[in-house]
Amino acid sequence: DRVIHIVTPYSRPENVPALMRHLAAQGVALTWHPLIGSVAFPIEDLPDWVRPMRVNVPPGCDPFCYKLRAFVADGGIVDDERYGMLCDDDLYEDGVLAAVERMDAPIVARPVRANARGQRVSAPGNALDGRAGDDEAGRGGVATVFCDGRHIPAVEHRHRPPGLLRRAGGAMAG
């Protein structure tokens, strides 16, 4: 099986334990890449599948976008492996990563309609696909795209709508 790389522009240390538990429980081969700026990562003894990357964000830059662009430039991307983005205050819906793992297309989810935070994107027949017209300019973002390494440099790394992610709410504490 191909590895799924989850890339997280990180800034909330209180969410790290919950994110690690959530990702470890997904049942797929994955590597988590928290992108660390000025906020220290709270855990030093990490499992092999967690690979933090330090990114020095210049003053005035959007930390979210700058960190993602730095990963694309310097993250050692592997062409035939999958990449997805996860915000540090979100969790994937159950089964999303398993579905991504089974798909062969180089881009396995296209940007879908941006819903209000906390709402689930639902599409008839395939929870990883949108409906016609949902991919209007400015309506989707990097959070709704999983792609192979060859395609990740083409993904527009702008600030995100929540897409296929669910708000973690109280589950993120501790």
Side-chain angles (χ1 to χ4, degrees):
D1 289 333
R2 287 186 286 197
V3 172
I4 299 174
H5 295 266
I6 304 302
V7 182
T8 301
Y10 158 84
S11 65
R12 296 176 180 95
E14 67 275 13
N15 293 350
V16 168
L19 283 163
M20 287 180 64
R21 284 191 305 272
H22 172 70
L23 292 171
Q26 295 307 301
V28 299
L30 65 82
T31 300
W32 183 37
H33 302 273
L35 307 179
I36 302 167
S38 60
V39 178
F41 201 73
I43 300 172
E44 291 184 23
D45 187 22
L46 297 170
D48 290 341
W49 59 272
V50 180
R51 298 186 187 150
M53 178 179 161
R54 172 133 332 259
V55 178
N56 295 316
V57 180
C61 289
D62 179 321
F64 179 91
C65 297
Y66 192 89
K67 289 175 185 178
L68 286 175
R69 290 177 181 142
F71 180 81
V72 169
D74 299 324
I77 293 171
V78 178
D79 283 353
D80 293 326
E81 294 184 352
R82 298 262 192 235
Y83 291 81
M85 197 280 298
L86 179 66
C87 297
D88 66 358
D89 63 346
D90 289 320
L91 302 174
Y92 289 110
E93 289 282 349
D94 292 339
V96 166
L97 294 181
V100 168
E101 183 181 52
R102 290 188 302 270
M103 294 181 177
D104 292 327
I107 299 174
V108 298
R110 63 187 169 92
V112 294
R113 183 170 40 93
N115 288 333
R117 294 278 300 186
Q119 290 181 340
R120 182 170 183 233
V121 172
S122 61
N126 183 352
L128 293 178
D129 196 10
R131 292 181 297 273
D134 284 349
D135 55 355
E136 299 169 26
R139 298 287 296 180
V142 68
T144 61
V145 175
F146 292 87
C147 60
D148 66 23
R150 285 181 298 277
H151 290 85
I152 196 168
V155 175
E156 182 180 350
H157 302 291
R158 66 182 194 280
H159 211 73
R160 84 282 183 214
L164 291 171
L165 306 174
R166 65 180 166 93
R167 181 79 175 170
M172 291 302 289

